[in-house]
Amino acid sequence: MSAGGSLLAAVPVAAVLLLTVATRPREAGAVAPLRLAVVRAALLSGVYAVLVVEVLGALHALTRPAFAAAWLLFLAAAATAVGVRRRRATLLAQPRTAASRPVPVGAVVSGGTETSDPAVDPGAGESDPPPTRTGRAPSGLLAVAVDAWRTAGRGERLLAGTIAGLVLVELLVALLAEPNNFDSQTYHLPKVEHWVAQGDLDFWPTAIHRQVTIPPGAEYLLLHLRLLTGGDQLYNLVQWAAGVVCLLVAARITAQLGGGRRAQLLTAFVLATTPMVVLQATSTQTDLVCAAWVACAATLVLDGLRRRTGWGTILGLGAATGLTAVTKTSGLIAVGPLLVLWGLAQLRLTLAKRAASPGVATTGAATTGAAAPLLSTAATAPTTGPTGAGGGRRPRPVGGLTRTVTGSVLILLVAAVVVGPFLARVTAEFGHPLGPPRLRESIPMERHDPPSILVNALRIGHTAFDTPLAPLRRAGAEAIIDGAGVIGVDPQDRAITFGREIFPVPAWYPDEDRVAFPLAGALALIGAVVALARPRRIDPERTGPLRAYAVVVLAAVLLHTSMIKWQPWGNRLILYALVLAVPLAGLWLDALLRRQAYPGRVGARRSVATLAAVTVLAASALAGVLAVSYGFPRRLVGTGSVFTTSDWDTRFVRRPEWADEFRWAAAAVRDSGARRIGLAQQNDNWEYPWWLLLRQPDGRSPDLVSLQSVLPERPPADPASVDAIVCTGSKPACAKLVPAGWRLEFRGYVGYALPPGR
């Protein structure tokens, strides 16, 4: 990466940091305002990145100068926003006389300072003029961090230190390791190279349908790095940044549900030490990116449980929905229930307003409406405002039915703006927004009868909770298979099983594509059950929000198991649900640890439970450390270490025997002087190495064309029109495409063909 590329890559980072300052909430009642600012900055930057790609792609201008100009413009806008915010804060900080300063309804006046109390004023939010400024200068934030560390207990420091250590080591691995994820070699990264070579987003003939049918949101972000830096050196940072966002947002969700500092640290700790998170944080997969957008939607929804949602947050919900859809459509399985919860909460606030109108006492407001059992403590606040004519208290008006409906429509419109262009291209190409039949039938469940859903859920659970204990794995699998036979379901039925895969498979090994999460999953499951059945054990004052959130998490899991087929790599696909569920684990653990033991057997039981929880946390820490140290395919120590393996060999850690074969074939093609090169490959073959090895001396993309196509409207290139052919996978399949008289050479997985005289 050149010095110019490094400087350009720093521009998006600087813009996001400035946006974090500019979007920090001003209202006094905001929960974890800095983390909320991170959510806002991430969503704004994500939407901007997607729209830049779509607009420049439509203009056939996917070029480095265009992207550099777009980000410099964004940086200038972010800097301007910070300047405007600071000038406004300066004006607000100027002393004013009491007569000139309006006192808002529900304000608490103390020492000449007004603060809007969200418990008194449920309408106080980002849509209202802020009476106070809560932002801190960087030095102030540093002082707060130092003070937090000084006042933290030994356990809290240990939790924070472990989290920080893992995140920093993951950053090191992400910077040192070359992209070597299997799917990335097949379609994630070739997709980016096709866009760069074409200069637009038009589909192309290909034998690998996933290059054009799978949502490209994460690859859009990679495209920015590719054009700004000229290479793939920083690709792993996209997932690493998404992992950091997941940690911050999960901790904020914990705070929104009533968790204190220790509960938030426990949440971040459990998530940070989950091997799937550790390994994907250094990868070019897309699951953490999807989970980050889903988590952003969740935290914004929780803000809407106790106060009306401002238009800015509504736009944020639309952005999170659209970014989830354009990254991985399975994430919408969770976003859907979250938006339903948001709508119910907003409607309940409307009912609370009506119940508090003159002539109606507000005593019953807390239990009005069908959503009251779930949302009562979330949306209801003490009504200490002016007394109405009928003796009831009249709170400040909150949003009405029209506002909620309008907000819902706006969310969908914003989401459509983000994901719509991609869906339009897919629909135009295949006649369906979800792509060709082979895609629609391979991953989604094709049977939805209760027995089939039950068997699918049990298999997904078995793979997610897998452990190194082989006897336990076998016993669980046999029980599921035998039980499926009893209820008349074939456990290997293709209608509920991906491809030709056979259940069960070992999933305990720390591999980024399939590693199980038994510890985090068990803690999350316990936390969800307790929050649903016994929420007072976690927080007696927040039973409504806890139940509501637990219902959403469990609904997402149930929907996932009824909509997505079992597959050996299914643990990746459900990562978004784990990120949503972990806050419940942190809350439950914190409640368990703070509970004082009572005399007798009850106290003994609680002591045993506390010891068990500490043991699980220690095991979780060990799992995280082992994953980052020995995890596959990027590790710190052992065979394939990022410190001892060459850049090229790192790319082939999964298939080391292919490294020399690709070089051998590419060298022969380059020596022949070929300019237009045909690709012969199958659906799951590696294409990306050709884009690296056959790149022009000046850095321009090679002229690679596919000799096969699964896109009906895009015929493949004629083999007679190319100067050389490179092949992967099957030699007989390649031989069928080689013109008569050409020389075909093959070594194991890779081959090439040249015309006579070359």
Side-chain angles (χ1 to χ4, degrees):
M1 182 170 58
S2 64
S6 300
L7 290 175
L8 288 176
V11 173
V13 178
V16 172
L17 293 176
L18 288 173
L19 273 181
T20 303
V21 176
T23 60
R24 188 180 175 93
R26 299 184 180 93
E27 63 268 19
V31 177
L34 181 57
R35 277 169 272 172
L36 177 56
V38 170
V39 170
R40 292 173 174 177
L43 291 174
L44 280 170
S45 302
V47 168
Y48 183 77
V50 169
L51 294 182
V52 164
V53 172
E54 291 289 356
V55 171
L56 294 181
L59 298 175
H60 305 282
L62 298 181
T63 62
R64 187 180 192 184
F67 273 65
W71 278 109
L72 290 172
L73 178 63
F74 192 63
L75 178 64
T80 301
V82 171
V84 170
R85 178 188 175 96
R86 288 187 173 177
R87 284 194 296 272
R88 182 178 179 184
T90 301
L91 292 174
L92 290 174
Q94 292 177 356
R96 292 180 292 173
T97 64
S100 64
R101 186 168 58 228
V103 179
V105 176
V108 178
V109 181
S110 176
T113 302
E114 299 158 5
T115 59
S116 181
D117 183 359
V120 174
D121 180 10
E126 63 212 16
S127 59
D128 303 310
T132 59
R133 175 176 174 267
T134 61
R136 294 188 181 97
S139 58
L141 291 175
L142 180 60
V144 171
V146 171
D147 182 67
W149 180 262
R150 182 179 58 82
T151 58
R154 183 179 302 175
E156 292 177 344
R157 291 182 179 182
L158 183 60
L159 292 173
T162 303
I163 296 166
L166 284 172
V167 169
L168 291 176
V169 173
E170 290 161 9
L171 175 60
L172 177 65
V173 175
L175 290 171
L176 292 178
E178 304 295 321
N180 61 0
N181 172 262
F182 194 103
D183 284 348
S184 295
Q185 308 292 335
T186 300
Y187 67 95
H188 289 309
L189 304 189
K191 186 184 302 187
V192 175
E193 294 301 322
H194 278 286
W195 293 332
V196 174
Q198 296 176 173
D200 57 39
L201 300 175
D202 290 345
F203 291 162
W204 52 90
T206 179
I208 304 173
H209 76 87
R210 291 175 293 174
Q211 290 183 357
V212 296
T213 57
I214 300 294
E219 290 89 342
Y220 281 175
L221 303 181
L222 297 180
L223 176 62
H224 285 268
L225 291 177
R226 169 67 173 86
L227 289 172
L228 293 177
T229 66
D232 60 10
Q233 296 90 339
L234 302 182
Y235 277 7
N236 293 331
L237 294 185
V238 171
Q239 281 262 109
W240 178 84
V244 172
V245 171
C246 286
L247 294 179
L248 294 175
V249 178
R252 182 172 192 264
I253 291 173
T254 305
Q256 290 172 290
L257 295 174
R261 182 170 62 187
R262 185 174 64 181
Q264 296 172 49
L265 285 172
L266 285 167
T267 294
F269 178 86
V270 171
L271 188 59
T273 55
T274 301
M276 177 66 78
V277 175
V278 171
L279 295 171
Q280 287 229 6
T282 63
S283 171
T284 47
Q285 267 292 6
T286 63
D287 305 284
L288 270 180
V289 178
C290 174
W293 300 136
V294 172
C296 287
T299 195
L300 294 181
V301 164
L302 288 179
D303 278 340
L305 295 189
R306 63 189 179 94
R307 63 177 63 186
R308 68 176 181 182
T309 299
W311 295 113
T313 299
I314 289 175
L315 293 175
L317 285 170
T321 303
L323 289 170
T324 300
V326 82
T327 301
K328 212 174 187 73
T329 51
S330 57
L332 295 176
I333 295 173
V335 173
L338 284 167
L339 293 180
V340 170
L341 175 62
W342 172 82
L344 290 175
Q346 294 295 294
L347 290 174
R348 192 186 175 285
L349 288 170
T350 300
L351 296 176
K353 170 197 168 184
R354 292 177 179 175
S357 61
V360 180
T362 58
T363 305
T367 56
T368 304
L374 291 181
L375 303 176
S376 58
T377 59
T380 305
T383 52
T384 58
T387 303
R393 301 293 184 181
R394 192 187 317 166
R396 231 182 121 173
V398 289
L401 177 61
T402 301
R403 180 188 179 93
T404 302
V405 173
T406 303
S408 302
V409 172
L410 185 57
I411 289 171
L412 297 178
L413 287 177
V414 173
V417 169
V418 176
V419 72
F422 168 71
L423 293 181
R425 289 193 296 273
V426 173
T427 303
E429 190 72 34
F430 300 104
H432 195 286
L434 297 181
R438 65 184 301 177
L439 178 63
R440 302 197 304 271
E441 297 169 1
S442 61
I443 297 177
M445 288 273 286
E446 297 177 80
R447 289 180 57 179
H448 298 90
D449 54 290
S452 297
I453 293 175
L454 175 61
V455 172
N456 193 55
L458 291 174
R459 294 183 305 165
I460 290 175
H462 181 275
T463 305
F465 288 88
D466 190 25
T467 70
L469 303 175
L472 181 61
R473 181 189 314 119
R474 286 196 298 269
E478 289 173 1
I480 293 173
I481 293 172
D482 293 342
V486 170
I487 60 177
V489 177
D490 179 4
Q492 315 301 345
D493 185 356
R494 298 302 99 187
I496 61 173
T497 305
F498 178 84
R500 300 179 181 178
E501 304 301 327
I502 301 297
F503 172 84
V505 295
W508 64 268
Y509 185 78
D511 184 309
E512 66 174 355
D513 284 339
R514 64 173 66 188
V515 62
F517 34 81
L519 296 177
L523 292 173
L525 180 60
I526 294 172
V529 171
V530 173
L532 187 62
R534 306 288 293 275
R536 291 186 177 276
R537 288 197 170 192
I538 296 176
D539 191 335
E541 298 180 357
R542 296 178 183 267
T543 57
L546 285 168
R547 275 204 179 105
Y549 190 75
V551 167
V552 167
V553 170
L554 293 175
V557 173
L558 293 175
L559 286 172
H560 183 99
T561 56
S562 63
M563 297 174 67
I564 306 296
K565 293 178 179 178
W566 174 87
Q567 55 183 284
W569 314 278
N571 292 340
R572 291 194 299 108
L573 304 184
I574 205 169
L575 183 59
Y576 69 89
L578 179 69
V579 172
L580 286 185
V582 163
L584 297 174
L587 289 164
W588 173 73
L589 286 170
D590 179 63
L592 184 66
L593 294 175
R594 72 168 180 262
R595 200 173 300 151
Q596 296 180 357
Y598 292 96
R601 295 179 60 189
V602 175
R605 288 175 182 173
R606 286 177 176 169
S607 297
V608 171
T610 300
L611 178 61
V614 172
T615 302
V616 170
L617 290 175
S620 183
L622 178 62
V625 171
L626 290 177
V628 77
S629 301
Y630 294 96
F632 200 72
R634 293 164 302 281
R635 56 177 49 169
L636 290 176
V637 296
T639 304
S641 166
V642 295
F643 293 117
T644 60
T645 308
S646 68
D647 293 348
W648 184 252
D649 289 335
T650 298
R651 299 178 184 275
F652 290 85
V653 167
R654 284 197 178 276
R655 299 290 187 271
E657 67 276 13
W658 294 352
D660 289 337
E661 294 181 9
F662 271 99
R663 276 181 163 170
W664 160 75
V669 170
R670 285 198 309 269
D671 292 343
S672 71
R675 292 290 179 264
R676 181 175 166 87
I677 303 165
L679 291 171
Q681 56 195 3
Q682 289 78 56
N683 184 56
D684 205 30
N685 291 171
W686 285 21
E687 180 182 313
Y688 186 59
W690 299 126
W691 291 97
L692 298 175
L693 290 168
L694 299 174
R695 189 170 293 177
Q696 301 294 333
D698 60 0
R700 289 183 296 111
S701 299
D703 185 9
L704 294 177
V705 295
S706 179
L707 302 182
Q708 307 136 291
S709 179
V710 293
L711 279 67
E713 303 300 324
R714 300 185 186 271
D718 184 351
S721 69
V722 300
D723 303 322
I725 297 174
V726 290
C727 311
T728 50
S730 168
K731 181 178 180 179
C734 180
K736 293 179 180 179
L737 298 171
V738 175
W742 284 39
R743 174 170 56 95
L744 173 62
E745 301 285 345
F746 224 91
R747 285 188 185 177
Y749 179 76
V750 178
Y752 69 91
L754 295 173
R758 287 186 180 269

